[in-house]
Amino acid sequence: MIRVEAATLEEAYTLASQKLHVSVTELDFEIIQQPTRGFFGLGKRRAIVVAAYNERYHAARRKESSQEKQNDNSTSQQPSTSEIIAANQTTVTPPAPSSQLEAQDMTQKTAPIQEFAEERLEILKKIEEPIENFYREKRSLEEIAEEVGDEVSRLFAHLCFELDPPNVTIYDPNTLMIKFSGPDSALLIAKQGYRYKALSYMLFSWIHAKYGVDVRVEVAEFLQTQEEKMARMIDALEPSIMAGERVQTPPLDGVLFYIAMRQLKTRFPNVAVAIKNGYEGVRSIIINARNER
């Protein structure tokens, strides 16, 4: 039995087989620690497994070898027909046809091999199942929120900004709310929200890819303020939209654009919209109530 550590489970299995000079299928594995990629190097863990010889496999091989030796010994020590007649003076039953003996011998040899093949398939399933399901592990949203809170806290603890511990809560059944507050929290927004957009994109790319949930990032009430601003703009445009007129919003930056699009789709789900691209990522939304989807 040996303990092996590697970057991935596959490398750990291969390394164990090399050290014990056997194939992977001849070993039993116990996973001590699943590998994780971490986040920007934080929380990264290596795979740790304990490998041991598969006793059932080796028992089957020993049994097969023992049966082969017994067959060889019985064949070499079997007295001739004339010797049996001379010793017992009885009628000797002719031996079974060679084809039957070969069939019986083949059955004895293939039985342990078949048993080993079935056991090997079970071992491979046990090895492959944790690998396939590791990143698709289904957990409750409460557990995910707690884990994300710990990882985000460790990440932002190394920044030079003076921030309170990030607060991660459940916003809706498929969304986490991450709130940043503290004396320097406004510095996470920057001019025109550029730093806020980068922060939101970074957190969403990580959390959605790993846990399959959406993320809503709030920094010093910035998101709430922007949503209220877009709601007031849409309130001003609503009479024209309801009258079927063609309406165009002012040029909107990235965060404001996505907020406005979401609110328009919620309040006017059947109204057709078009996007007019400007320079430096600024876009306008064109609404035409007469062109319903």
Side-chain angles (χ1 to χ4, degrees), residues 59-110:
R61 294 294 298 272
R62 289 195 295 268
K63 181 179 179 181
E64 179 184 352
S65 177
S66 176
Q67 289 178 348
E68 290 179 353
K69 290 181 179 179
Q70 289 178 2
N71 292 335
D72 293 340
N73 292 335
S74 61
T75 302
S76 61
Q77 296 177 2
Q78 183 177 0
S80 64
T81 303
S82 59
E83 292 175 345
I84 295 175
I85 294 174
N88 299 297
Q89 295 295 318
T90 57
T91 302
V92 178
T93 302
S98 60
S99 59
Q100 295 181 3
L101 292 176
E102 291 176 356
Q104 181 179 2
D105 185 56
M106 182 62 67
T107 302
Q108 293 177 348
K109 290 183 178 181
T110 56

Side-chain angles (χ1 to χ4, degrees), residues 124-139:
L124 291 175
K125 289 180 181 179
K126 292 179 180 179
I127 294 175
E128 293 171 356
E129 184 176 356
I131 299 174
E132 293 177 356
N133 296 333
F134 178 67
Y135 290 107
R136 294 182 296 175
E137 184 179 1
K138 295 183 178 179
R139 290 179 291 176

